[in-house]
Amino acid sequence: MNLKIRSLALLPIISILLACRTLFPSPPPQPTQTVEANHILDKPSSFSFPKITPNPTFTPIIPTISPSITPSPFITSSPTTTPIPINTQLRIFEHLWSIVNDTYVYPDFNGLDWEAINEQYRQIILGGLSNQQFYDQINELISRLGDDHSYLLDPQQVAEQEAEYQGDHNYVGIGVQVSAVPDRQRAVILTVFPGSPAETAGLQTRDSILSAGGIPILDDQGYLRDIVRGPEGTPVDLLVQSPGEAPRQLSIIRQRITGTYSVVHQVIDTPDGKRIGYIFLLTFMDGTVDEQVAQALKEMTAATPLDGLILDDRMNEGGSSLVLEPMLGYFSSGNLGEFVRRSDRSPLKINLDDINGSSTVPLVVLVGSGTASFGEIFAGILKDVGRAEIIGTTTGGNVEILWGYDFEDGSALWLANETFQPLNHPEQDWEQTGIIPDISVAGEFDEYSMANDPVVLAAIQFLSEQ
């Protein structure tokens, strides 16, 4: 049985997924949507999770692995130790091939001869493949579709993705969540877990890790290396750098990390007496983020209303629609656009959930090169309906909505099944153009401290003038 995920409060999303996992091939399901997630440096994986909508038989999502579909070396994968028989591999492949054939958002398969693919990969499987070779071949096949969004997860990665959405962090490391910055060969810290070794060592959001044990933190392809995790109680030597400062060496003792990370927020008092809130949206992958943002809004407005609000979306690679939709509801409501599939479309309807004036406070959303998937759609919608001013740099344009499909071995396909069409500018194609800011200001998140970040300063100036 399959299940569709978009935004209803039925059951916890993970419970839904587990309950709907199929034991045998089934007819192509309807989607689940998610958008790329950030990576936790010292945790095995971090994929995006889906978008959910109730349907008699399915559950969708929007996960993505970037910059390519091939699983990152950062993710240590050891699927099942039980060999998957050739007949089972063929059955999984045929099911996957049919799903792509029937539901892939681009009916021309981006120029790929999908009929020829069937025979080609059947012969590869008949030649004999180990479990890992089989998953690698399928991921290579999905990457050939060329959307830079769809991918396959092996059974272990499926479990890790589900735990990621639940905010269920339990691993041995230093307690930071990071995002790779290939252009500058570093991993920028997005958040530090409270009470973690990283916090004790003084690491903060916007600091960068350059190397661990003398080995660059990114490999030659720009992927995070799995070199920070290790046995509990052992040290790891890091070369780190704060914005505007020289690199420095730190030795940190690894410990078990549990719980969830906190949404960074603060109130900025301007010289002219205005109170401007700031919230850093690091991901929509964690199912607790919307609740944490609601709490942050309550805290910042407990005594006095805000005169303006900045949502820093620059490192948000997306996640689940179960986070996207309540987040939109804090700031806007109604029909905000449509999800478009091959043969039909469905509206994105949002219920208002105003938190101490959140739906009317002057609003700025910051975007940049790290904004992707539901992170882009979130910013684009608020711009399209005139609710927010967008400041920063144009995003990359990676907004297909993925739907999740489960297979009998426990693996899962995340396939681009939908695109999004904005309400007031339906002619816009965000996949092609990205989200274009109203005010263009250059400045990468890892290059500046909060105090001298030109994008934040531009947002403060804009809100001060309102």
Side-chain angles (χ1 to χ4, degrees):
M1 181 174 66
N2 297 308
L3 170 73
K4 183 179 179 181
I5 299 180
R6 209 163 266 156
S7 75
L8 291 184
L10 300 173
L11 293 171
I13 185 172
I14 298 306
S15 300
I16 293 175
L17 290 176
L18 292 177
C20 295
R21 195 165 303 290
T22 56
L23 297 178
F24 301 97
S26 60
Q30 301 191 15
T32 298
Q33 300 158 315
T34 298
V35 185
E36 300 149 317
N38 301 308
H39 298 282
I40 295 179
L41 178 61
D42 41 12
K43 182 171 179 290
S45 82
S46 232
F47 297 97
S48 294
F49 203 72
K51 167 182 173 181
I52 306 182
T53 296
N55 197 46
T57 59
F58 181 76
T59 306
I61 298 186
I62 297 188
T64 303
I65 303 174
S66 45
S68 80
I69 304 303
T70 304
S72 163
F74 170 68
I75 298 161
T76 303
S77 173
S78 55
T80 176
T81 55
T82 303
I84 303 174
I86 287 180
N87 286 345
T88 303
Q89 291 184 6
L90 285 172
R91 197 159 60 238
I92 293 168
F93 165 70
E94 290 290 354
H95 187 195
L96 178 144
W97 185 92
S98 296
I99 289 170
V100 177
N101 188 65
D102 295 341
T103 70
Y104 188 53
V105 66
Y106 304 117
D108 65 348
F109 308 103
N110 284 327
L112 199 63
D113 187 341
W114 196 242
E115 291 292 339
I117 285 292
N118 192 303
E119 183 59 28
Q120 178 185 351
Y121 278 82
R122 280 184 60 84
Q123 293 305 315
I124 291 174
I125 293 169
L126 288 171
L129 299 173
S130 68
N131 291 3
Q132 190 58 60
Q133 289 172 333
F134 173 68
Y135 295 129
D136 288 346
Q137 284 291 334
I138 296 300
N139 249 318
E140 189 271 341
L141 163 60
I142 297 302
S143 72
R144 289 175 63 184
L145 288 169
D147 61 59
D148 292 332
H149 220 171
S150 305
Y151 63 89
L152 181 85
L153 297 179
D154 65 41
Q156 177 180 321
Q157 292 167 344
V158 168
E160 291 167 353
Q161 183 188 73
E162 292 171 351
E164 177 77 5
Y165 178 78
Q166 293 285 51
D168 183 15
H169 303 296
N170 187 348
Y171 63 98
V172 175
I174 65 170
V176 294
Q177 182 166 359
V178 305
S179 183
V181 185
D183 289 348
R184 286 180 292 287
Q185 281 297 298
R186 62 188 58 220
V188 61
I189 295 176
L190 303 180
T191 190
V192 178
F193 283 70
S196 66
E199 184 182 60
T200 301
L203 289 176
Q204 300 180 29
T205 298
R206 296 178 183 256
D207 287 345
S208 291
I209 298 176
L210 309 181
S211 66
I215 302 172
I217 196 63
L218 304 186
D219 65 17
D220 292 341
Q221 285 74 47
Y223 286 115
L224 290 161
R225 285 192 167 103
D226 185 11
I227 54 178
V228 173
R229 293 179 301 129
E232 191 167 2
T234 60
V236 56
D237 296 323
L238 303 177
L239 181 64
V240 302
Q241 186 174 23
S242 298
E245 298 181 8
R248 64 187 187 278
Q249 292 282 349
L250 285 179
S251 183
I252 302 179
I253 303 299
R254 301 177 176 101
Q255 295 178 12
R256 181 156 297 280
I257 307 299
T258 58
T260 188
Y261 44 73
S262 300
V263 169
V264 175
H265 63 282
Q266 68 181 83
V267 174
I268 301 166
D269 294 311
T270 68
D272 57 356
K274 289 194 174 183
R275 299 179 71 252
I276 296 175
Y278 171 90
I279 300 177
F280 178 51
L281 303 178
L282 65 93
T283 184
F284 286 164
M285 176 59 193
D286 187 315
T288 70
V289 164
D290 58 306
E291 297 171 357
Q292 291 194 56
V293 169
Q295 184 59 37
L297 289 169
K298 291 174 183 177
E299 290 177 8
M300 293 189 295
T301 57
T304 309
L306 293 172
D307 297 303
L309 178 63
I310 300 169
L311 300 177
D312 195 339
D313 199 37
R314 286 177 293 174
M315 301 302 292
N316 182 2
E317 295 180 338
S320 171
S321 66
L322 292 182
V323 177
L324 168 76
E325 295 183 13
M327 283 291 302
L328 285 169
Y330 300 149
F331 309 107
S332 190
S333 63
N335 183 359
L336 302 183
E338 291 187 316
F339 294 105
V340 181
R341 296 179 288 280
R342 276 196 201 176
S343 57
D344 64 349
R345 54 183 61 217
S346 57
L348 173 61
K349 295 182 178 179
I350 300 297
N351 295 321
L352 184 65
D353 184 13
D354 183 271
I355 299 177
N356 296 341
S358 62
S359 65
T360 56
V361 66
L363 183 63
V364 168
V365 179
L366 310 184
V367 298
S369 61
T371 311
S373 289
F374 272 150
E376 289 181 276
I377 291 174
F378 175 75
I381 287 173
L382 293 177
K383 171 184 168 73
D384 179 67
V385 299
R387 179 63 188 88
E389 189 82 357
I390 308 298
I391 298 178
T393 57
T394 301
T395 66
N398 195 2
V399 298
E400 296 112 342
I401 291 86
L402 307 186
W403 291 32
Y405 301 89
D406 298 324
F407 300 112
E408 58 184 284
D409 62 328
S411 63
L413 169 67
W414 289 111
L415 183 69
N417 276 183
E418 296 178 327
T419 57
F420 185 79
Q421 185 175 84
L423 176 68
N424 294 319
H425 299 88
E427 76 285 356
Q428 292 182 358
D429 183 353
W430 294 343
E431 183 71 23
Q432 298 299 319
T433 66
I435 306 303
I436 301 171
D438 300 298
I439 301 174
S440 295
V441 180
E444 295 296 340
F445 183 80
D446 66 289
E447 293 182 300
Y448 300 95
S449 67
M450 181 70 174
N452 64 8
D453 186 329
V455 188
V456 173
L457 294 176
I460 293 172
Q461 179 179 345
F462 174 83
L463 291 169
S464 295
E465 295 171 351
Q466 300 306 300

